[in-house]
PDB file of all heavy atoms in Angstrom:
ATOM      1  N   GLY D  16     104.467 106.359  99.459  1.00 95.00           N
ATOM      2  CA  GLY D  16     105.714 105.595  99.500  1.00 95.00           C
ATOM      3  C   GLY D  16     106.136 105.153  98.114  1.00 95.00           C
ATOM      4  O   GLY D  16     105.755 105.765  97.101  1.00 95.00           O
ATOM      5  N   THR D  17     106.896 104.070  98.056  1.00 91.00           N
ATOM      6  CA  THR D  17     107.422 103.546  96.801  1.00 91.00           C
ATOM      7  C   THR D  17     106.304 103.406  95.771  1.00 91.00           C
ATOM      8  O   THR D  17     106.412 103.888  94.642  1.00 91.00           O
ATOM      9  CB  THR D  17     108.021 102.149  97.053  1.00 91.00           C
ATOM     10  OG1 THR D  17     108.907 102.239  98.154  1.00 91.00           O
ATOM     11  CG2 THR D  17     108.744 101.616  95.840  1.00 91.00           C
ATOM     12  N   MET D  18     105.234 102.736  96.153  1.00 95.00           N
ATOM     13  CA  MET D  18     104.175 102.428  95.187  1.00 95.00           C
ATOM     14  C   MET D  18     103.280 103.625  94.940  1.00 95.00           C
ATOM     15  O   MET D  18     102.917 103.909  93.788  1.00 95.00           O
ATOM     16  CB  MET D  18     103.345 101.236  95.670  1.00 95.00           C
ATOM     17  CG  MET D  18     104.126  99.949  95.731  1.00 95.00           C
ATOM     18  SD  MET D  18     104.961  99.535  94.192  1.00 95.00           S
ATOM     19  CE  MET D  18     103.578  99.138  93.146  1.00 95.00           C
ATOM     20  N   ASP D  37      99.608 111.351 102.322  1.00 98.00           N
ATOM     21  CA  ASP D  37     100.359 110.537 103.284  1.00 98.00           C
ATOM     22  C   ASP D  37     100.129 111.115 104.671  1.00 98.00           C
ATOM     23  O   ASP D  37      99.832 112.310 104.821  1.00 98.00           O
ATOM     24  CB  ASP D  37     101.865 110.502 102.950  1.00 98.00           C
ATOM     25  CG  ASP D  37     102.529 109.242 103.501  1.00 98.00           C
ATOM     26  OD1 ASP D  37     102.727 109.172 104.730  1.00 98.00           O
ATOM     27  OD2 ASP D  37     102.809 108.319 102.716  1.00 98.00           O
ATOM     28  N   ALA D  38     100.252 110.249 105.676  1.00 96.00           N
ATOM     29  CA  ALA D  38     100.086 110.700 107.055  1.00 96.00           C
ATOM     30  C   ALA D  38     101.325 111.466 107.510  1.00 96.00           C
ATOM     31  O   ALA D  38     101.248 112.313 108.391  1.00 96.00           O
ATOM     32  CB  ALA D  38      99.830 109.498 107.955  1.00 96.00           C
ATOM     33  N   ALA D  42     107.280 111.839 104.359  1.00 97.00           N
ATOM     34  CA  ALA D  42     106.982 110.825 103.337  1.00 97.00           C
ATOM     35  C   ALA D  42     106.325 111.478 102.124  1.00 97.00           C
ATOM     36  O   ALA D  42     106.602 111.117 100.974  1.00 97.00           O
ATOM     37  CB  ALA D  42     106.079 109.742 103.912  1.00 97.00           C
ATOM     38  N   ALA D  94      97.441 102.706  98.824  1.00 98.00           N
ATOM     39  CA  ALA D  94      98.782 102.099  98.765  1.00 98.00           C
ATOM     40  C   ALA D  94      99.531 102.428 100.053  1.00 98.00           C
ATOM     41  O   ALA D  94     100.690 102.842 100.018  1.00 98.00           O
ATOM     42  CB  ALA D  94      99.537 102.599  97.540  1.00 98.00           C
ATOM     43  N   VAL D  95      98.851 102.292 101.202  1.00 97.00           N
ATOM     44  CA  VAL D  95      99.549 102.519 102.482  1.00 97.00           C
ATOM     45  C   VAL D  95     100.240 101.228 102.900  1.00 97.00           C
ATOM     46  O   VAL D  95     100.090 100.181 102.260  1.00 97.00           O
ATOM     47  CB  VAL D  95      98.599 103.041 103.594  1.00 97.00           C
ATOM     48  CG1 VAL D  95      97.921 104.347 103.164  1.00 97.00           C
ATOM     49  CG2 VAL D  95      97.573 102.010 104.005  1.00 97.00           C
ATOM     50  N   SER D  96     100.973 101.313 103.995  1.00 91.00           N
ATOM     51  CA  SER D  96     101.805 100.204 104.460  1.00 91.00           C
ATOM     52  C   SER D  96     101.021  98.891 104.528  1.00 91.00           C
ATOM     53  O   SER D  96      99.824  98.884 104.837  1.00 91.00           O
ATOM     54  CB  SER D  96     102.362 100.536 105.848  1.00 91.00           C
ATOM     55  OG  SER D  96     102.791 101.883 105.881  1.00 91.00           O
ATOM     56  N   GLU D  97     101.746  97.803 104.250  1.00 88.00           N
ATOM     57  CA  GLU D  97     101.118  96.473 104.187  1.00 88.00           C
ATOM     58  C   GLU D  97     100.885  95.943 105.602  1.00 88.00           C
ATOM     59  O   GLU D  97     101.594  95.047 106.081  1.00 88.00           O
ATOM     60  CB  GLU D  97     102.020  95.530 103.373  1.00 88.00           C
ATOM     61  CG  GLU D  97     101.396  94.183 103.039  1.00 88.00           C
ATOM     62  CD  GLU D  97     100.355  94.252 101.936  1.00 88.00           C
ATOM     63  OE1 GLU D  97      99.705  95.296 101.762  1.00 88.00           O
ATOM     64  OE2 GLU D  97     100.190  93.242 101.240  1.00 88.00           O
ATOM     65  N   VAL D 101      96.573  98.946 109.942  1.00 97.00           N
ATOM     66  CA  VAL D 101      96.701 100.270 109.313  1.00 97.00           C
ATOM     67  C   VAL D 101      95.626 100.408 108.235  1.00 97.00           C
ATOM     68  O   VAL D 101      94.924 101.415 108.140  1.00 97.00           O
ATOM     69  CB  VAL D 101      98.113 100.450 108.705  1.00 97.00           C
ATOM     70  CG1 VAL D 101      98.187 101.701 107.837  1.00 97.00           C
ATOM     71  CG2 VAL D 101      99.167 100.504 109.808  1.00 97.00           C
ATOM     72  N   LYS D 102      95.468  99.348 107.442  1.00 98.00           N
ATOM     73  CA  LYS D 102      94.485  99.421 106.345  1.00 98.00           C
ATOM     74  C   LYS D 102      93.066  99.486 106.911  1.00 98.00           C
ATOM     75  O   LYS D 102      92.212 100.195 106.381  1.00 98.00           O
ATOM     76  CB  LYS D 102      94.639  98.217 105.412  1.00 98.00           C
ATOM     77  CG  LYS D 102      96.047  98.110 104.799  1.00 98.00           C
ATOM     78  CD  LYS D 102      96.028  97.836 103.334  1.00 98.00           C
ATOM     79  CE  LYS D 102      97.372  97.421 102.790  1.00 98.00           C
ATOM     80  NZ  LYS D 102      97.898  98.277 101.733  1.00 98.00           N
ATOM     81  N   LEU D 105      92.380 102.993 108.075  1.00 98.00           N
ATOM     82  CA  LEU D 105      92.340 103.888 106.914  1.00 98.00           C
ATOM     83  C   LEU D 105      91.049 103.726 106.113  1.00 98.00           C
ATOM     84  O   LEU D 105      90.405 104.710 105.727  1.00 98.00           O
ATOM     85  CB  LEU D 105      93.540 103.605 106.017  1.00 98.00           C
ATOM     86  CG  LEU D 105      93.571 104.558 104.835  1.00 98.00           C
ATOM     87  CD1 LEU D 105      94.550 105.683 105.078  1.00 98.00           C
ATOM     88  CD2 LEU D 105      93.909 103.841 103.566  1.00 98.00           C
ATOM     89  N   ASN D 122      96.026  98.435  96.567  1.00 98.00           N
ATOM     90  CA  ASN D 122      97.220  97.921  95.883  1.00 98.00           C
ATOM     91  C   ASN D 122      97.895  96.829  96.714  1.00 98.00           C
ATOM     92  O   ASN D 122      99.054  96.474  96.477  1.00 98.00           O
ATOM     93  CB  ASN D 122      98.184  99.111  95.652  1.00 98.00           C
ATOM     94  CG  ASN D 122      99.423  98.741  94.879  1.00 98.00           C
ATOM     95  OD1 ASN D 122      99.342  98.074  93.860  1.00 98.00           O
ATOM     96  ND2 ASN D 122     100.580  99.141  95.358  1.00 98.00           N
ATOM     97  N   SER D 124      99.587  93.633  98.247  1.00 91.00           N
ATOM     98  CA  SER D 124     100.245  92.513  97.571  1.00 91.00           C
ATOM     99  C   SER D 124      99.871  91.181  98.202  1.00 91.00           C
ATOM    100  O   SER D 124      99.809  90.165  97.516  1.00 91.00           O
ATOM    101  CB  SER D 124     101.770  92.640  97.698  1.00 91.00           C
ATOM    102  OG  SER D 124     102.233  93.696  96.935  1.00 91.00           O
ATOM    103  N   HIS D 145      96.538  95.905  91.561  1.00 98.00           N
ATOM    104  CA  HIS D 145      97.884  95.559  92.032  1.00 98.00           C
ATOM    105  C   HIS D 145      98.929  95.904  90.989  1.00 98.00           C
ATOM    106  O   HIS D 145      99.076  95.200  89.990  1.00 98.00           O
ATOM    107  CB  HIS D 145      97.930  94.063  92.396  1.00 98.00           C
ATOM    108  CG  HIS D 145      99.206  93.653  93.035  1.00 98.00           C
ATOM    109  ND1 HIS D 145      99.866  92.487  92.718  1.00 98.00           N
ATOM    110  CD2 HIS D 145      99.972  94.263  93.971  1.00 98.00           C
ATOM    111  CE1 HIS D 145     100.970  92.403  93.441  1.00 98.00           C
ATOM    112  NE2 HIS D 145     101.052  93.464  94.214  1.00 98.00           N
ATOM    113  N   PHE D 146      99.638  97.013  91.261  1.00 98.00           N
ATOM    114  CA  PHE D 146     100.710  97.475  90.376  1.00 98.00           C
ATOM    115  C   PHE D 146     102.009  96.771  90.757  1.00 98.00           C
ATOM    116  O   PHE D 146     102.137  96.219  91.843  1.00 98.00           O
ATOM    117  CB  PHE D 146     100.909  98.982  90.542  1.00 98.00           C
ATOM    118  CG  PHE D 146      99.774  99.818  90.014  1.00 98.00           C
ATOM    119  CD1 PHE D 146      98.629 100.032  90.771  1.00 98.00           C
ATOM    120  CD2 PHE D 146      99.847 100.416  88.765  1.00 98.00           C
ATOM    121  CE1 PHE D 146      97.585 100.815  90.287  1.00 98.00           C
ATOM    122  CE2 PHE D 146      98.810 101.195  88.274  1.00 98.00           C
ATOM    123  CZ  PHE D 146      97.677 101.400  89.038  1.00 98.00           C
ATOM    124  N   ASN D 148     106.400  96.971  90.959  1.00 89.00           N
ATOM    125  CA  ASN D 148     107.478  97.895  91.267  1.00 89.00           C
ATOM    126  C   ASN D 148     108.701  97.612  90.395  1.00 89.00           C
ATOM    127  O   ASN D 148     109.153  96.463  90.383  1.00 89.00           O
ATOM    128  CB  ASN D 148     107.832  97.703  92.756  1.00 89.00           C
ATOM    129  CG  ASN D 148     108.896  98.649  93.241  1.00 89.00           C
ATOM    130  OD1 ASN D 148     109.131  99.691  92.650  1.00 89.00           O
ATOM    131  ND2 ASN D 148     109.551  98.274  94.335  1.00 89.00           N
TER     132      ASN D 148
HETATM  133  N1  LIG L   1     106.979  97.697  97.297  1.00 65.32           N
HETATM  134  C1  LIG L   1     106.524  96.865  96.373  1.00 65.32           C
HETATM  135  O1  LIG L   1     107.302  96.253  95.613  1.00 65.32           O
HETATM  136  C2  LIG L   1     105.041  96.650  96.194  1.00 65.32           C
HETATM  137  C3  LIG L   1     104.571  96.134  94.983  1.00 65.32           C
HETATM  138  C4  LIG L   1     103.187  95.995  94.802  1.00 65.32           C
HETATM  139  C5  LIG L   1     102.316  96.342  95.830  1.00 65.32           C
HETATM  140  N2  LIG L   1     102.803  96.829  97.006  1.00 65.32           N
HETATM  141  C6  LIG L   1     101.824  97.211  98.036  1.00 65.32           C
HETATM  142  O2  LIG L   1     101.676  98.618  98.020  1.00 65.32           O
HETATM  143  C7  LIG L   1     101.389  99.092  99.337  1.00 65.32           C
HETATM  144  C8  LIG L   1     102.400 100.129  99.729  1.00 65.32           C
HETATM  145  O3  LIG L   1     103.689  99.556  99.650  1.00 65.32           O
HETATM  146  P1  LIG L   1     105.007 100.462  99.547  1.00 65.32           P
HETATM  147  O4  LIG L   1     106.115  99.541  99.210  1.00 65.32           O
HETATM  148  O5  LIG L   1     104.744 101.667  98.700  1.00 65.32           O
HETATM  149  O6  LIG L   1     105.143 100.923 101.077  1.00 65.32           O
HETATM  150  P2  LIG L   1     105.951 102.175 101.657  1.00 65.32           P
HETATM  151  O7  LIG L   1     106.312 101.814 103.050  1.00 65.32           O
HETATM  152  O8  LIG L   1     107.016 102.629 100.717  1.00 65.32           O
HETATM  153  O9  LIG L   1     104.833 103.333 101.694  1.00 65.32           O
HETATM  154  C9  LIG L   1     103.704 103.289 102.506  1.00 65.32           C
HETATM  155  C10 LIG L   1     103.311 104.714 102.844  1.00 65.32           C
HETATM  156  O10 LIG L   1     102.045 104.691 103.523  1.00 65.32           O
HETATM  157  C11 LIG L   1     102.064 105.743 104.460  1.00 65.32           C
HETATM  158  N3  LIG L   1     101.010 105.525 105.438  1.00 65.32           N
HETATM  159  C12 LIG L   1     100.954 104.585 106.421  1.00 65.32           C
HETATM  160  N4  LIG L   1      99.804 104.709 107.103  1.00 65.32           N
HETATM  161  C13 LIG L   1      99.111 105.727 106.529  1.00 65.32           C
HETATM  162  C14 LIG L   1      97.839 106.317 106.774  1.00 65.32           C
HETATM  163  N5  LIG L   1      97.055 105.891 107.756  1.00 65.32           N
HETATM  164  N6  LIG L   1      97.442 107.349 105.993  1.00 65.32           N
HETATM  165  C15 LIG L   1      98.242 107.796 104.988  1.00 65.32           C
HETATM  166  N7  LIG L   1      99.456 107.275 104.709  1.00 65.32           N
HETATM  167  C16 LIG L   1      99.878 106.248 105.475  1.00 65.32           C
HETATM  168  C17 LIG L   1     103.475 105.699 105.040  1.00 65.32           C
HETATM  169  O11 LIG L   1     103.806 106.927 105.693  1.00 65.32           O
HETATM  170  C18 LIG L   1     104.298 105.421 103.792  1.00 65.32           C
HETATM  171  O12 LIG L   1     104.753 106.627 103.193  1.00 65.32           O
HETATM  172  C19 LIG L   1     101.356  97.854 100.223  1.00 65.32           C
HETATM  173  O13 LIG L   1     100.026  97.405 100.348  1.00 65.32           O
HETATM  174  C20 LIG L   1     102.196  96.844  99.447  1.00 65.32           C
HETATM  175  O14 LIG L   1     101.843  95.513  99.712  1.00 65.32           O
HETATM  176  C21 LIG L   1     104.149  97.006  97.213  1.00 65.32           C
END
Side-chain angles (χ1 to χ4, degrees):
T17 309
M18 295 307 290
D37 205 286
V95 302
S96 317
E97 189 75 332
V101 170
K102 302 226 193 239
L105 183 100
N122 184 47
S124 290
H145 187 223
F146 291 82
N148 183 21

